[in-house]
Amino acid sequence: MSEMRVIGIRVEQPQNQPVLLLREAEGERYLPIWIGQAEATAIVLEQEGVTPIRPLTHDLIKILITELGRTLEEVRIVDLQEGTFYADLVFDGDLRVSARPSDSVAIALRVGCPIFAEEPVLAEAGLVMPDEREDEVEKFKEFLESVSPDDFKATDS
């Protein structure tokens, strides 16, 4: 299992599909996850420190976690099946709740907990991008030009 850092949200053209890009904290692999527009907006707003007038859904979830006296200890991206990623919210007392990675990351950013990806997920969908001298944004743009969501669908082995 590897700890991941949120690089950011990029938009794949021409479909205007948001992609969440994670990178290993202590490694070279990137993990791109195609996500919905609402979740992309929630992640970007939190990364930019923008506080909406009224809480968004992920802000409300953070409030609920606190008010219920729980602690979100970590987020784990645990599986990839037929091109769909799965995540777990791991709370104190080892309580686990299955959730979409996009929602999980949006919540993790708000509560400040670490994000991890299981090794089988990284082995299947993690990518090492060439030329480490380029900055991460430029590498990601080049990557997006060469792949599509179909590249991450499971194949029968």
Side-chain angles (χ1 to χ4, degrees):
M1 184 166 56
S2 293
E3 185 169 359
M4 306 300 287
R5 299 280 184 247
V6 177
I7 300 301
I9 301 293
R10 304 295 180 264
V11 178
E12 179 188 25
Q13 297 298 333
Q15 298 90 350
N16 288 329
Q17 178 70 41
V19 180
L20 167 63
L21 183 64
L22 305 174
R23 182 174 187 210
E24 284 182 301
E26 301 293 325
E28 300 179 334
R29 291 178 290 186
Y30 290 80
L31 187 62
I33 302 174
W34 277 258
I35 64 174
Q37 189 63 50
E39 295 78 18
T41 300
I43 290 168
V44 168
L45 288 176
E46 186 62 25
Q47 282 190 305
E48 293 180 356
V50 175
T51 304
I53 295 170
R54 298 287 295 149
L56 298 176
T57 302
H58 301 98
D59 301 310
L60 176 60
I61 292 170
K62 175 188 174 186
I63 294 166
L64 286 170
I65 291 168
T66 302
E67 292 299 316
L68 292 171
R70 301 308 297 244
T71 302
L72 180 60
E73 294 180 346
E74 63 188 39
V75 163
R76 291 185 181 182
I77 300 170
V78 296
D79 202 3
L80 175 59
Q81 296 179 18
E82 298 179 16
T84 301
F85 289 88
Y86 294 83
D88 284 346
L89 300 170
V90 181
F91 293 91
D92 56 297
D94 202 34
L95 171 68
R96 291 174 183 250
V97 176
S98 182
R100 297 182 304 184
S102 55
D103 290 323
S104 300
V105 167
I107 296 165
L109 289 173
R110 284 162 173 75
V111 303
C113 73
I115 301 164
F116 295 95
E118 298 284 347
E119 184 55 37
V121 174
L122 284 169
E124 183 173 344
L127 302 168
V128 176
M129 294 187 205
D131 195 3
E132 289 299 319
R133 294 181 308 249
E134 294 181 50
D135 79 10
E136 292 171 345
V137 174
E138 289 305 312
K139 290 186 285 185
F140 188 54
K141 285 179 183 176
E142 289 175 15
F143 160 72
L144 285 179
E145 291 173 4
S146 67
V147 298
S148 73
D150 292 334
D151 292 334
F152 297 97
K153 291 191 176 162
T155 58
D156 294 329
S157 300

